[in-house]
Amino acid sequence: MVSCLTDLAKTYVEKLINGVIAESRHVFCFTCIAKEFEEEKSRLEVERKTLEQRAKVATGRDEDIRANVRFWEEEVEKLIQKDIKTKQTCFFGFCPDCIWRYKRGKQLANKMEEIKRLTEKGQKLENIELPRRLPDVERYSSEDYIRFEGRESKYKELFDALKDDKNYITGLQGMGGTGKTTLAKELGKELKKSEQFAHVIDTTVSFTPDIKKIQDDIAGPLGLKLENCNDSDRPKKLWSRLTNGEKILIIMDDVWDRDPPLDFDVIGIPKRDNHKGCKVLITTRSKRILNKMSCDKKVELEILSDEDAWIMFKRYVGINNISSKNLISKGHKITKECKGLPVAIAVIASSLNGQQLRKHEWDATLKSLKKPVTMHGVDEDMAGIYKCLKFSYDYMKDEKAKRLFLLSSIFPEDKEISVEILTRLGIGTGLFGEDYGCYDDTRNQVVVAKNKLIDSCLLLDVGERHVKMHDLVRDAAQWIANKEIRGVNLSIKDQKLLVQKEINIKYLLCEGKDMDLFSCKFECSKLETLVADIDRDESQKCMEVPNSFFKNIVNLRVLYFTGNEEQPLSLPQSIQSLTNIRSLLVDKVDLGDISILGKLQSLETLDLVSCAINELPFEITKLGKFKLLNLDNCEIRRNNPFEVIEKCSSLEELYFIKSFNGFCREITIPELQRYRICNYWYIMNYSQSKYVNFCASDDASVFSEATFKYFMRTTEFLRLIGIKRGWRNLMPEIVPIGQGMDDLVELRLSCISQLQCLIDSIGSQVPSLLSKLVVLELDNMENLEELFNGSLSFDSLKNLEMLSMKQCKKFKRLFNCKLNLCNLKTLILEKCPMLVSLFPLMSRNLVQLEKLEIADCEELKNIIDIKREEESIEEIDDGDNNNKKHGSIFPKLKVLDIEGCHRLESILPFLSSQDFPVLEAILVRKCDALKYIFSQYQHVELKSLKKMLLCQLPNFIHIFPKCYASMSSSVNESYSTPRDGFKEQIELDPIKCNIFSWTYICCHGDKFGSSSTTRIPLVSRDQPQDYSIASVSNSHDLQIWERVQCLQVQPHIMCNIKEIVLSHFLKMKSVFILSVAPRMLETLKIMNCDELKHIVIDTGDHDSSGNNWGNVFPTLKRLYVGNCMQLEYIFGPYTNDHQNHTEIHLHLPALQYLNLCNLPSLVAMCPKQYRPTFPSLKELELKKCSQVDIKSIGDFIIHSVSKSQDSTIMKNQCLRGVGETYQDSRLKIVPSKI
């Protein structure tokens, strides 16, 4: 027995001793613990930096970042920002503080484990990116859409049909050119905006449907990847996605009447019996197709009425009703000849735009439209529109634009056509003559001609780099060309026979299988341009082009071949017979050996996209006319292609994009007029002619020193990542000062650790440098200390619009000399811990600054050096010593965003009443020392301010420093007549407040439980008086919120607020008094307010009829309240003894979502005398509200103390007010006790 007790005691003693040793380690091994902590923290920093770099690369590829990655980054950020002080003493500094050491040692040990966990977790985050969904119909602009009065009924009919769950397929039918596509897209945008559908996706079907294209068009906006699916699995995967329960509308545009009709099963679109929320809207010219596809609702779109046609004509031609009567009369007649077709009106009216003073032009147009024209092969209903289009074509004076118009019709129907491809085809066809000069000059001519066609509505503008041709205009263009332009599908036997017999074709588009193309025996001796869009046969490993293929097309000038897979294709020897070929463009083909192209002596353009070649052949260096080489995303299997490129003496333009191989070392390039060299995906600005975007790997340098100097001297866009060359500066180490970087428009540098400054001008005579620079972006430049060492001329950066600096750990000052920054619009500074001050001298020059964003600049003490600013102001004198003048600071600043700047006490000064006239948003977070937003007070009006977010500001006092003005007496008067419940008053220091116009306010208390909370004063924009509201500690929050009756003088004081978010106001008892509740509020969210008892309180000042509550929150749509432990009622009286037995109406007409979560003290929505109604309520969520004892919805909405007959009637009446919407809405109730 004794032995057992001894063993037991020994065990406990051992545990006790081990515990003491383990705990004492926190004191005696504190230095080792702190050192180990710093090492682990450094490892975590490296892991965070690595992940940030990967995230930046993914974002640059237009991909989203996974939520768990962002959560990991937030965890790391919180951990790193915590206090990690490792030294504290006692006894006047002679001894270490042991108690503090013990506590801190234990904290560091615990944090070290957390750091290790986060480091391991970060290392396991491999696939951090998510593909970003393509946009659907919201990408279309509504700028040119006209809401015709005569079509409002059709619009509403379609809208209602698509909302109706009984309808699966809705059909919109009308003749070509009536505006079906435009109407369908606009309708889709409104349905998406009104949340009737989660996705609204459009795809063009056309006469010859491309099933894969249709599938990809639908899959893209849904985030569905079909690339790795075989043909049989693609429809299955798409069907599965479309039937997952989401409401999806698919707009099938331009569906033709074919036999058999379009098969939804082949595409993957669900049928009527299992569509599960997926609906289809088709547009078509044929009424028969509506019947064939069993449309549930059919809407016919007729031509425009005379009134609507005239409205459209006036808009496009640029006249109004006060124009001359003669002009208006002719306009009416011309409009009538357009037969009410929008496409015809747009074309004709656009051709007359700007010709209002030339009456003969209008006469000629009218005469031409009335003149009968023979229309061979044109349907009778199309004859009128063809005549309008031909007139617009004939009317055009520019022959190059006319030829470009015809050339554009060779592309497949509804194809988005690259303007650059048009340029290369146009040059190849001789559209600009044989001696057209340089490539770039001709490109400008193409742009001019393209713009004329767009202005004439013969081409449609699709973004900056693409155009599109309406299918009806395309048909008319091919008719105008009189059989010289043909588009055929060689898989259709009759069309293949037609093209083999036709001898007059000059421009030919071939679609179909590769075997159909290469087996075709052309008789087209006049053929100059062949565009082949071919599907490859997957069963064939390599397709050999027969020698006979080029036999009868030896006059070919342009060959544009597009495959759909990078399958091998062998070029025949007979291709060298194409002695006249100018442009060769190939997409998505494995060409293998292309040395035979060196025999094509007339070749000017070689354009390979997503192709594979064995090598770039040396033979092309002998081509004397070779001007443009494009290698985009190509695989070059061997040898350094630049060894060939540098010897191409006639080369003018080089596009080398993501085609580098392992042989590229110390490369050089010839002098070029345009170049784009890139190994890293980035959104390009195609207006810049000389572009370099290069991310270096760890191996040997790709570019030679001479090439870097060439880039610095000539490029317009330069983006370098991770270059390791030992440069301390760009000038003068790479290029001498004044001899380079003169054309630079964008400079983006990242991870170049050795760079200390951009320009070192010490000891140099400095001319104007970087005068064309618009964007300067520096990221992760570890040793960068300043932008410029030494002075620059005043106008050196006069065109700079955006300056961004991130993670420059040694960066100390932004500018050390006076510079003209008159065009700077955006300034972003992030994680520059040694930066102390921003603008010591030049804030007066920042007249265009719109956005100022600063984050994690821990040593930043001031943004503007006020003393030096005032000194510079005193230097400006207009001759009157008593009247100094100066302009406002930041007159165009809209967004002020500051985070993690712990030494800032204030952000900006008000030096003039004209400062910040257009400021819209103030966002300030995690600034420990911040007391005021503005350090000096002026009588100002921030009328444009719409949004303010203040979060985790433990020392924040107010927007302005306290100002004891005469207004204080008027405020005290407002308190002088006490009401019930307001008899005990506290002394408040009045603060002069300014005029705000709000649409959003978000205020957060300190989530760690700080004792200070801020109340933001609000004053209506309509009332320029001053008001005083105090900001005090949490102990006075009850008085602050309940004494807000001082705003009753102006009951509409917060009339413009649309969204309010309140979080972590720990002592707040109530939010609004009835008389000052904001009437325009749409969203109210309240979270973690521990002592909150009511949201809105009734102080008893409503009239006897009870109507005062009838207008409270008339626009409120969403109310969320969560984690408020003492909340009893949403709407309640001011005190328990405030009883009013008069029935009070509480009408919330717009409320749709009511979410109440974790409110353990909640009794009901309101006491029994209130009668609430919610006619628009869609969702009621009641979760973890343990005190709510309900048996029905009515029991909750109207709380009854007694079970009297009156309360039962009131409950039933309340339910009738809500119940009208329940049958069409989703009602969600999750109570903890029912």
Side-chain angles (χ1 to χ4, degrees):
M1 183 69 180
V2 173
S3 176
C4 291
L5 291 173
T6 303
D7 291 341
L8 185 63
K10 183 179 179 182
T11 301
Y12 280 110
V13 169
E14 284 179 355
K15 287 184 178 180
L16 181 62
I17 293 172
N18 290 335
V20 170
I21 293 173
E23 293 298 315
S24 62
R25 178 177 178 271
H26 297 139
V27 177
F28 298 109
C29 300
F30 179 80
T31 304
C32 294
I33 293 173
K35 183 178 178 182
E36 188 179 353
F37 173 82
E38 290 295 336
E39 291 173 354
E40 290 296 335
K41 183 185 171 187
S42 298
R43 293 190 188 98
L44 183 61
E45 282 276 15
V46 171
E47 195 62 39
R48 181 176 73 161
K49 184 177 177 181
T50 302
L51 206 64
E52 282 180 353
Q53 292 172 344
R54 291 169 60 195
K56 186 171 183 178
V57 171
T59 304
R61 291 198 301 260
D62 198 33
E63 294 177 325
D64 286 323
I65 307 301
R66 293 180 184 273
N68 63 337
V69 176
R70 296 301 187 201
F71 181 72
W72 182 87
E73 289 179 332
E74 289 173 5
E75 280 190 298
V76 172
E77 187 70 24
K78 290 175 184 176
L79 186 62
I80 289 176
Q81 284 188 354
K82 288 181 180 178
D83 181 21
I84 55 170
K85 185 178 178 183
T86 57
K87 187 175 181 180
Q88 184 164 313
T89 59
C90 60
F91 294 107
F92 306 101
F94 291 105
C95 296
D97 189 335
C98 294
I99 296 175
W100 179 88
R101 275 194 166 204
Y102 169 74
K103 291 180 179 179
R104 180 46 56 96
K106 194 168 185 177
Q107 288 176 357
L108 291 180
N110 293 334
K111 287 179 184 177
M112 199 161 14
E113 293 302 316
E114 193 175 350
I115 286 176
K116 289 179 181 178
R117 178 186 66 82
L118 286 173
T119 303
E120 291 175 4
K121 185 178 177 181
Q123 291 170 346
K124 293 177 182 178
L125 293 171
E126 295 181 355
N127 298 320
I128 68 168
E129 66 276 350
L130 288 170
R132 186 169 293 174
R133 294 179 177 182
L134 297 174
D136 48 29
V137 291
E138 71 263 18
R139 72 187 188 277
Y140 296 115
S141 171
S142 300
E143 184 178 355
D144 296 325
Y145 179 72
I146 304 173
R147 293 191 78 101
F148 296 113
E149 187 176 339
R151 288 189 168 178
E152 279 300 309
S153 60
K154 299 290 184 182
Y155 190 94
K156 187 177 186 305
E157 188 177 358
L158 277 170
F159 193 87
D160 293 342
L162 291 166
K163 284 172 56 180
D164 192 345
D165 291 336
K166 298 176 183 177
N167 298 328
Y168 168 52
I169 301 180
T170 302
L172 176 61
Q173 182 271 328
M175 66 180 296
T178 52
K180 301 183 296 296
T181 300
T182 303
L183 181 63
K185 289 176 180 176
E186 194 64 28
L187 183 68
K189 286 177 66 177
E190 185 168 338
L191 287 164
K192 174 82 178 286
K193 187 177 180 181
S194 62
E195 299 182 356
Q196 298 294 330
F197 292 93
H199 303 280
V200 180
I201 304 164
D202 70 300
T203 181
T204 304
V205 178
S206 301
F207 181 75
T208 307
D210 184 341
I211 299 301
K212 283 189 175 180
K213 175 186 172 297
I214 295 171
Q215 290 171 334
D216 290 337
D217 286 347
I218 298 172
L222 296 174
L224 188 65
K225 296 291 185 181
L226 300 177
E227 287 89 347
N228 298 323
C229 294
N230 58 41
D231 289 349
S232 61
D233 288 341
R234 286 170 67 94
K236 297 174 186 175
K237 195 169 182 179
L238 188 58
W239 181 92
S240 177
R241 176 64 180 87
L242 292 173
T243 56
N244 72 351
E246 273 193 301
K247 297 195 72 175
I248 300 170
L249 175 64
I250 301 174
I251 301 175
M252 309 284 287
D253 188 33
D254 196 21
V255 180
W256 285 72
D257 186 8
R258 302 171 69 249
D259 287 317
L262 190 67
D263 190 349
F264 280 8
D265 286 334
V266 174
I267 299 171
I269 298 175
K271 292 288 186 70
R272 186 182 312 278
D273 58 340
N274 59 0
H275 61 89
K276 298 180 183 179
C278 178
K279 292 187 178 184
V280 179
L281 169 64
I282 65 170
T283 73
T284 180
R285 301 182 190 182
S286 170
K287 291 183 179 179
R288 288 182 65 233
I289 199 67
L290 301 183
N291 296 324
K292 282 184 179 181
M293 300 188 73
S294 304
C295 291
D296 301 293
K297 180 70 176 179
K298 304 166 188 174
V299 178
E300 182 178 357
L301 192 64
E302 299 173 345
I303 61 175
L304 294 177
S305 65
D306 291 344
E307 293 80 8
D308 288 340
W310 175 238
I311 290 171
M312 183 175 181
F313 182 87
K314 287 193 298 181
R315 176 167 172 174
Y316 274 78
V317 82
I319 64 173
N320 50 47
N321 291 328
I322 64 173
S323 300
S324 69
K325 291 183 179 180
N326 187 33
L327 196 67
I328 290 176
S329 175
K330 284 187 175 64
H332 275 293
K333 292 175 182 178
I334 293 172
T335 305
K336 189 173 182 181
E337 292 299 322
C338 293
K339 311 299 181 185
L341 287 168
V343 67
I345 295 170
V347 168
I348 297 298
S350 296
S351 69
L352 292 172
N353 191 291
Q355 308 292 332
Q356 288 87 337
L357 300 179
R358 298 178 179 178
K359 296 181 180 179
H360 64 279
E361 299 282 0
W362 291 60
D363 292 333
T365 300
L366 182 58
K367 184 177 180 181
S368 178
L369 291 174
K370 286 186 173 182
K371 183 180 178 180
V373 179
T374 304
M375 298 278 180
H376 296 296
V378 178
D379 293 339
E380 186 176 341
D381 60 344
M382 291 286 103
I385 189 170
Y386 273 40
K387 185 166 65 173
C388 292
L389 293 170
K390 188 173 188 308
F391 164 77
S392 184
Y393 172 81
D394 293 337
Y395 181 81
M396 196 173 298
K397 305 295 190 296
D398 190 333
E399 287 298 322
K400 293 173 183 176
K402 292 169 77 170
R403 294 181 65 185
L404 189 68
F405 169 68
L406 297 179
L407 179 63
S408 301
S409 70
I410 195 177
F411 290 92
E413 188 176 331
D414 297 303
K415 172 84 171 178
E416 291 188 2
I417 309 165
S418 164
V419 176
E420 185 61 29
I421 294 297
L422 268 182
T423 301
R424 295 172 192 180
L425 266 61
I427 288 176
T429 58
L431 192 152
F432 302 98
E434 299 301 327
D435 299 323
Y436 56 86
C438 70
Y439 226 99
D440 201 32
D441 290 343
T442 309
R443 181 179 290 105
N444 295 332
Q445 294 182 54
V446 172
V447 172
V448 170
K450 180 258 302 184
N451 290 338
K452 289 181 179 179
L453 294 171
I454 291 173
D455 292 342
S456 300
C457 291
L458 294 174
L459 283 180
L460 304 174
D461 198 2
V462 185
E464 181 184 350
R465 299 183 296 113
H466 291 82
V467 293
K468 192 175 180 180
M469 188 173 266
H470 191 286
D471 55 352
L472 202 60
V473 177
R474 176 178 178 269
D475 294 342
Q478 294 188 0
W479 170 77
I480 291 170
N482 193 20
K483 299 183 180 180
E484 288 189 349
I485 301 176
R486 288 283 191 183
V488 295
N489 188 330
L490 297 176
S491 300
I492 301 173
K493 187 176 181 180
D494 291 342
Q495 294 190 30
K496 184 175 181 180
L497 291 173
L498 174 67
V499 76
Q500 289 183 140
K501 293 178 181 179
E502 185 62 60
I503 62 173
N504 293 317
I505 301 176
K506 291 182 68 176
Y507 304 119
L508 177 63
L509 166 67
C510 293
E511 297 178 283
K513 294 290 185 181
D514 51 4
M515 285 293 295
D516 295 320
L517 173 66
F518 298 134
S519 64
C520 192
K521 298 178 180 179
F522 293 110
E523 296 294 338
C524 309
S525 59
K526 295 182 180 179
L527 186 65
E528 295 181 358
T529 300
L530 174 60
V531 178
D533 194 351
I534 297 302
D535 287 330
R536 302 296 305 279
D537 189 344
E538 295 180 2
S539 63
Q540 288 187 313
K541 293 184 178 180
C542 180
M543 180 66 200
E544 292 190 7
V545 182
N547 256 314
S548 59
F549 179 72
F550 295 108
K551 181 179 179 181
N552 293 324
I553 54 174
V554 292
N555 289 319
L556 200 66
R557 297 175 64 102
V558 174
L559 174 59
Y560 184 11
F561 185 91
T562 302
N564 62 354
E565 298 289 343
E566 287 188 25
Q567 288 182 306
L569 184 145
S570 177
L571 296 176
Q573 289 294 316
S574 62
I575 195 173
Q576 62 186 306
S577 65
L578 302 180
T579 56
N580 206 34
I581 195 162
R582 297 323 199 251
S583 299
L584 177 61
L585 301 89
V586 184
D587 287 7
K588 299 176 186 156
V589 177
D590 185 346
L591 292 170
D593 183 5
I594 61 170
S595 59
I596 195 169
L597 300 182
K599 302 288 184 65
L600 305 179
Q601 291 300 316
S602 296
L603 189 66
E604 298 173 344
T605 301
L606 178 59
D607 186 334
L608 305 181
V609 178
S610 299
C611 291
I613 58 175
N614 292 341
E615 63 179 349
L616 190 65
F618 187 80
E619 287 81 355
I620 67 171
T621 62
K622 301 175 182 178
L623 300 178
K625 297 181 179 180
F626 190 42
K627 294 186 177 183
L628 185 146
L629 174 62
N630 180 32
L631 295 170
D632 187 343
N633 199 29
C634 290
E635 177 189 355
I636 304 173
R637 296 190 175 102
R638 60 176 182 259
N639 297 336
N640 184 351
F642 286 92
E643 292 179 355
V644 176
I645 292 170
E646 66 176 314
K647 291 180 172 61
C648 294
S649 57
S650 61
L651 196 66
E652 295 178 1
E653 302 191 2
L654 172 65
Y655 303 90
F656 200 91
I657 301 169
K658 295 203 299 185
S659 299
F660 288 86
N661 63 14
F663 299 95
C664 295
R665 292 288 186 276
E666 293 292 323
I667 62 178
T668 58
I669 60 175
E671 291 280 340
L672 298 166
Q673 294 181 16
R674 288 175 70 96
Y675 57 80
R676 186 164 290 124
I677 297 174
C678 172
N679 76 336
Y680 179 76
W681 193 93
Y682 192 75
I683 300 174
M684 295 185 186
N685 183 346
Y686 287 86
S687 65
Q688 294 164 349
S689 62
K690 297 175 182 179
Y691 178 103
V692 177
N693 180 14
F694 193 81
C695 179
S697 57
D698 294 331
D699 54 12
S701 177
V702 172
F703 298 111
S704 67
E705 193 78 27
T707 302
F708 272 118
K709 290 183 178 181
Y710 174 71
F711 289 154
M712 291 289 180
R713 183 168 52 85
T714 61
T715 191
E716 296 176 12
F717 179 101
L718 182 61
R719 186 168 191 253
L720 300 176
I721 301 175
I723 302 295
K724 298 177 181 178
R725 283 277 177 173
W727 304 322
R728 290 169 299 172
N729 56 67
L730 303 183
M731 281 188 176
E733 286 198 19
I734 303 177
V735 290
I737 290 178
Q739 298 182 28
M741 301 172 70
D742 293 335
D743 296 321
L744 199 60
V745 177
E746 292 190 41
L747 176 60
R748 302 175 187 267
L749 304 177
S750 180
C751 302
I752 305 179
S753 58
Q754 67 276 14
L755 210 65
Q756 296 177 8
C757 66
L758 300 184
I759 299 174
D760 187 346
S761 62
I762 298 294
S764 301
Q765 189 171 0
V766 184
S768 179
L769 301 176
L770 302 173
S771 58
K772 294 183 181 179
L773 191 68
V774 174
V775 175
L776 176 57
E777 182 180 282
L778 304 172
D779 186 9
N780 204 2
M781 309 286 283
E782 292 183 358
N783 289 299
L784 189 74
E785 297 180 4
E786 54 191 344
L787 294 179
F788 314 111
N789 183 25
S791 298
L792 297 185
S793 63
F794 181 66
D795 288 331
S796 286
L797 295 173
K798 62 182 180 182
N799 284 305
L800 188 66
E801 294 184 8
M802 197 276 277
L803 173 58
S804 173
M805 301 192 63
K806 298 180 180 180
Q807 299 190 79
C808 299
K809 295 182 179 179
K810 294 185 178 180
F811 191 74
K812 297 177 180 178
R813 57 178 177 267
L814 199 57
F815 302 109
N816 57 359
C817 59
K818 287 187 177 181
L819 290 173
N820 182 5
L821 300 177
C822 60
N823 285 299
L824 188 64
K825 295 181 179 179
T826 301
L827 176 59
I828 300 173
L829 298 169
E830 183 179 313
K831 295 183 180 177
C832 300
M834 297 183 69
L835 184 66
V836 176
S837 180
L838 260 63
F839 305 118
L841 294 171
M842 58 194 60
S843 63
R844 297 287 163 187
N845 291 324
L846 301 174
V847 293
Q848 298 290 335
L849 190 67
E850 296 179 358
K851 181 178 181 180
L852 177 58
E853 183 179 311
I854 307 172
D856 300 319
C857 296
E858 297 168 1
E859 293 298 318
L860 186 66
K861 295 180 180 179
N862 57 67
I863 294 174
I864 295 178
D865 189 326
I866 299 174
K867 291 183 179 180
R868 297 183 68 179
E869 189 71 34
E870 289 176 340
E871 289 172 3
S872 67
I873 291 171
E874 291 175 1
E875 295 174 5
I876 306 173
D877 190 347
D878 63 352
D880 183 354
N881 292 332
N882 297 322
N883 184 22
K884 308 291 182 184
K885 66 176 183 179
H886 57 89
S888 64
I889 296 179
F890 307 142
K892 293 192 176 181
L893 186 67
K894 294 181 179 179
V895 177
L896 178 61
D897 189 346
I898 311 293
E899 179 177 2
C901 299
H902 300 301
R903 300 195 67 178
L904 272 180
E905 292 191 5
S906 63
I907 296 175
L908 292 171
F910 261 111
L911 300 179
S912 163
S913 59
Q914 289 82 37
D915 291 344
F916 315 109
V918 296
L919 188 62
E920 295 179 359
I922 297 175
L923 313 171
V924 188
R925 303 171 296 280
K926 301 178 182 178
C927 296
D928 293 347
L930 191 77
K931 297 179 180 179
Y932 308 104
I933 304 296
F934 303 109
S935 61
Q936 294 189 13
Y937 173 75
Q938 292 283 341
H939 181 70
V940 295
E941 297 182 358
L942 296 175
K943 290 184 177 179
S944 300
L945 198 61
K946 297 178 180 178
K947 177 177 180 179
M948 177 176 283
L949 187 150
L950 304 178
C951 181
Q952 295 185 42
L953 309 174
N955 291 299
F956 186 71
I957 299 174
H958 207 272
I959 297 175
F960 294 95
K962 293 183 179 181
C963 180
Y964 295 87
S966 59
M967 182 61 199
S968 60
S969 59
S970 64
V971 175
N972 290 332
E973 289 174 7
S974 69
Y975 286 117
S976 61
T977 308
R979 290 180 175 269
D980 294 340
F982 289 95
K983 293 180 180 179
E984 297 83 19
Q985 303 294 330
I986 61 172
E987 188 66 23
L988 299 177
D989 292 330
I991 301 172
K992 181 166 281 191
C993 192
N994 295 280
I995 299 172
F996 300 105
S997 169
W998 299 83
T999 57
Y1000 174 90
I1001 177 172
C1002 179
C1003 302
H1004 297 269
D1006 191 331
K1007 65 181 180 180
F1008 300 110
S1010 171
S1011 62
S1012 63
T1013 301
T1014 301
R1015 172 72 177 121
I1016 306 301
L1018 308 174
V1019 181
S1020 166
R1021 72 162 79 178
D1022 301 324
Q1023 303 296 330
Q1025 296 92 345
D1026 291 333
Y1027 294 89
S1028 297
I1029 304 174
S1031 174
V1032 295
S1033 69
N1034 267 350
S1035 61
H1036 295 144
D1037 266 353
L1038 174 60
Q1039 285 83 358
I1040 288 290
W1041 284 89
E1042 293 178 348
R1043 287 182 60 182
V1044 80
Q1045 63 177 329
C1046 66
L1047 297 179
Q1048 289 179 337
V1049 179
Q1050 304 295 336
H1052 57 288
I1053 197 165
M1054 294 184 285
C1055 63
N1056 292 310
I1057 297 181
K1058 292 186 177 180
E1059 179 172 356
I1060 295 179
V1061 180
L1062 300 173
S1063 176
H1064 295 89
F1065 281 82
L1066 305 181
K1067 298 290 184 179
M1068 185 169 62
K1069 308 291 186 183
S1070 58
V1071 181
F1072 301 112
I1073 292 177
L1074 176 59
S1075 59
V1076 294
R1079 298 299 190 258
M1080 297 302 293
L1081 193 66
E1082 295 181 359
T1083 300
L1084 176 59
K1085 297 180 181 179
I1086 302 174
M1087 297 155 287
N1088 301 298
C1089 298
D1090 292 348
E1091 297 189 16
L1092 184 69
K1093 291 194 172 183
H1094 311 108
I1095 307 297
V1096 182
I1097 58 172
D1098 176 13
T1099 56
D1101 56 353
H1102 53 71
D1103 56 30
S1104 59
S1105 63
N1107 290 330
N1108 200 22
W1109 281 82
N1111 294 323
V1112 69
F1113 299 139
T1115 60
L1116 187 67
K1117 295 179 181 178
R1118 185 183 296 269
L1119 174 59
Y1120 175 88
V1121 187
N1123 300 317
C1124 298
M1125 299 298 123
Q1126 297 189 36
L1127 187 74
E1128 298 175 356
Y1129 297 108
I1130 305 299
F1131 303 94
Y1134 168 60
T1135 60
N1136 290 332
D1137 59 348
H1138 173 69
Q1139 299 293 333
N1140 189 334
H1141 298 286
T1142 305
E1143 182 180 286
I1144 301 172
H1145 296 272
L1146 175 59
H1147 186 54
L1148 298 173
L1151 188 65
Q1152 298 179 14
Y1153 303 96
L1154 177 59
N1155 305 89
L1156 306 171
C1157 302
N1158 196 20
L1159 307 173
S1161 301
L1162 184 68
V1163 177
M1165 279 285 289
C1166 46
K1168 65 180 181 179
Q1169 70 265 29
Y1170 297 88
R1171 180 186 172 188
T1173 54
F1174 314 95
S1176 301
L1177 192 64
K1178 292 182 178 180
E1179 177 177 309
L1180 170 61
E1181 181 179 12
L1182 186 63
K1183 188 175 183 180
K1184 294 185 179 180
C1185 301
S1186 55
Q1187 294 300 314
V1188 178
D1189 188 3
I1190 61 173
K1191 298 178 182 178
S1192 69
I1193 302 171
D1195 281 320
F1196 167 69
I1197 293 177
I1198 178 70
H1199 175 65
S1200 176
V1201 177
S1202 66
K1203 298 296 181 182
S1204 65
Q1205 180 66 25
D1206 290 341
S1207 63
T1208 304
I1209 294 173
M1210 195 174 293
K1211 278 191 293 183
N1212 293 336
Q1213 289 173 331
C1214 172
L1215 282 175
R1216 282 198 295 271
V1218 184
E1220 295 172 1
T1221 62
Y1222 283 165
Q1223 56 189 349
D1224 296 323
S1225 304
R1226 177 171 66 92
L1227 182 62
K1228 178 183 177 183
I1229 307 179
V1230 193
S1232 55
K1233 182 169 65 173
I1234 299 182

